[in-house]
Structure formats: C-alpha cells, structure tokens
Amino acid sequence: MTTALGATRFESTSRYDGYAWKPTPQSLSLLSRARQILGSSPRPMTVRQLYYRLVAALVIPNNVRSYQNLVGLLTKARKADLLDTSKFVDRTRAI
C-alpha cells in the first residue's frame, strides 16, 4: 500500500507482526508468579480466577485497578508470545 506521501507502507497479515513490548521488572515478576499459578492448576482457568489467586497469595491488592492492570499485562504478554494461552479458558466467548 502507498501512503499519501508516496511512501510504501507494510501491510501485515498478522495483527501481532512486529509487536514490541519492553516489560518492567515488576511486570516480569508478576508474570512469573502468574505462570507459577497457571502451571500448578490441573485445568485452564479464567483471568478472573487467576486474579483472585494472585490476590489470595497477597501478590496484588484486591481492587478494580489491579484487575485492569493484570488484564493489560496478560494481553501484552500474549501478544509478545510470553504466555501459554492454552492455560486460559473464556467461558463467555465461543471460539
């Protein structure tokens, strides 16, 4: 595709091509703890279940902002292929 200025723009076939994310040490620590919890579970869990397990382990506080931050972190980690998505289940969406 060519832009209005005549420059050629790359058209990606995947929405995640070239996704670059530089997580902070705190994000990596939380992601590591989330992976431990997911790995210890015999079956996939929802994001909310993971959130409450992190709250129960006193890793994060129990408030809306913490939940939203966790969702954002998990989304970024998934896009960067740092998270095994087979460990999650979404019972509200048909795949």
Side-chain angles (χ1 to χ4, degrees):
M1 172 179 267
T2 305
T3 63
L5 300 174
T8 302
R9 192 177 82 176
F10 173 73
E11 285 293 322
S12 173
T13 56
S14 169
R15 64 184 184 168
Y16 302 128
D17 280 352
Y19 184 78
W21 175 53
K22 294 182 177 147
T24 63
Q26 294 87 2
S27 294
L28 288 175
S29 175
L30 180 55
L31 189 57
S32 173
R33 189 70 176 110
R35 276 196 211 119
Q36 289 174 353
I37 291 171
L38 289 167
S40 67
S41 177
R43 62 179 91 178
M45 64 176 63
T46 65
V47 172
R48 188 166 300 277
Q49 286 172 323
L50 175 62
Y51 167 74
Y52 281 116
R53 293 226 183 149
L54 289 166
V55 168
L58 302 176
V59 176
I60 57 176
N62 185 13
N63 58 44
V64 173
R65 187 162 187 91
S66 292
Y67 179 75
Q68 291 170 339
N69 289 342
L70 178 64
V71 169
L73 174 67
L74 296 175
T75 300
K76 290 174 186 175
R78 177 181 51 83
K79 288 181 181 180
D81 289 329
L82 297 177
L83 194 61
D84 182 10
T85 56
S86 69
K87 297 288 186 178
F88 288 99
V89 65
D90 187 347
R91 297 180 186 126
T92 62
R93 297 183 188 185
I95 297 177

